[in-house]
Amino acid sequence: MPPLSVTLTGADALMARLQTLGREGPRVLAGALHRAHEVIMTEAKRRTPVQFGALKASGHVALPRIEATQIVSEGGFGGAAVDYAVFVHENVTARHTVGQAKFYESALLDASRTLAADLARDVAAALTRMGR
C-alpha cells in the first residue's frame, strides 16, 4: 500500500510530558505510539473486506524505530501471501458484503483526530508508573 504519514500538530501537552522524561522520552513515546497503532490496526481489521480472511489476517504493526528526531511506526496489510491488498484497499467503486475500501487509511485518519491527546494520556500513565 502507498505509505501514509500523519504528523501531529498542537500537541503541547504531549511535548510537556515528554520533556519531563528527558532521554527516556523517545522510548516512552515509541511505546505509546505502538499501542495506539495496534488500536488503529484493530479498527482497520474490523473495516477490512472479507472473502476468505487472508487479507484481514495479514494486517500487522511492526515495533517502532527511533531514528534521530523521528519515531517510525509501520504497519500494513498484504505481504507475499496477499498481493491483492492494495487493489482491495484502493478500489472505492467495489461493493463489499463485509468491510469497505480504504479500510486502513480511514481507520488511521479517524484516529488522527485524537491521537495527540491519546498519546499524551499514555505518556502520563507511563510517568505515573515510573513514579514521576
Side-chain angles (χ1 to χ4, degrees), residues 41-60:
M41 179 55 70
T42 298
E43 178 58 24
K45 286 181 176 183
R46 191 188 67 69
R47 298 176 186 194
T48 301
V50 176
Q51 185 172 10
F52 302 110
L55 179 58
K56 184 176 185 176
S58 74
H60 65 280

Side-chain angles (χ1 to χ4, degrees), residues 4 6-9 19 23 28 33-34 45 51-52 64 72 82 113 116 132:
L4 181 63
V6 174
T7 301
L8 299 177
T9 57
Q19 287 174 349
R23 294 178 63 170
V28 171
L33 184 58
H34 184 68
K45 286 181 176 183
Q51 185 172 10
F52 302 110
V72 179
V82 190
R113 294 183 184 105
R132 293 187 183 179

